[in-house]
């Protein structure tokens, strides 16, 4: 979410450029696809310039030190869920087996996203005494 009008404009340019660039990649074999890709890449570069221009105006970020190891554990749990889904798809040919391993992997990923990562971020939050 943009906090200022300048950030909002730069983000709008970024999203428009990203959309045009990806549409250009999708239709790269045609001439209009190449033009959309080039135009989107130019708009992305311009939006990056705008973001970097307004970065010094933001001031100091109010974040305390956060434990990097706990964040890495959270990311590892999320990736473990993803790997569980991928291996589960190759372990069995039945639909019910694949659905079961997919749901287990999804649950593991949710535990990482909803419990481990927030605990890492909130451990040294600025609003805690």
């Amino acid at each position: 979410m943009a906090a200022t009008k300048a950030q909002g404009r730069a983000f709008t340019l970024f999203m428009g450029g990203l959309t045009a660039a990806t549409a250009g990649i999708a239709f790269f074999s045609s001439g209009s696809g190449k033009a959309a890709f080039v135009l989107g890449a130019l708009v992305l570069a311009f939006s990056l310039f705008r973001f970097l221009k307004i970065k010094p105006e933001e001031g100091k970020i109010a974040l305390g030190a956060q434990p990097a190891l706990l964040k890495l554990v959270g990311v590892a749990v999320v990736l473990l869920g993803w790997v569980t889904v991928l291996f589960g798809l190759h372990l069995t040919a039945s639909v019910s087996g694949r659905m079961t391993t997919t749901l287990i992997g999804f649950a593991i990923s949710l535990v990482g996203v909803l419990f481990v990562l927030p605990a890492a971020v909130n451990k040294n939050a600025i609003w805690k005494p």
Side-chain angles (χ1 to χ4, degrees):
M1 183 175 169
T4 64
K5 283 185 181 181
Q7 288 175 335
R9 288 185 187 121
F11 184 70
T12 302
L13 279 173
F14 172 77
M15 292 304 292
L18 186 65
T19 303
T22 54
I25 290 171
F27 299 104
F28 198 72
S29 60
S30 68
S32 61
K34 290 180 178 92
F37 175 70
V38 170
L39 180 67
L42 288 174
V43 172
L44 278 174
F46 182 70
S47 71
L48 175 66
F49 171 73
R50 296 277 304 258
F51 279 131
L52 292 176
K53 182 180 171 190
I54 61 176
K55 179 70 178 164
E57 298 172 6
E58 291 179 3
K60 187 178 178 187
I61 298 173
L63 288 178
Q66 298 173 349
L69 184 62
L70 195 53
K71 286 195 272 186
L72 288 175
V73 168
V75 171
V77 170
V78 172
L79 290 176
L80 176 68
W82 179 68
V83 168
T84 303
V85 170
L86 288 181
F87 283 135
L89 292 175
H90 295 288
L91 287 177
T92 181
S94 70
V95 174
S96 62
R98 287 181 173 187
M99 183 60 74
T100 303
T101 57
T102 300
L103 289 174
I104 291 169
F106 184 65
I108 293 171
S109 291
L110 280 178
V111 166
V113 170
L114 296 177
F115 297 107
V116 180
L117 286 174
V121 173
N122 290 332
K123 190 163 181 81
N124 295 326
I126 60 169
W127 60 84
K128 290 188 175 183

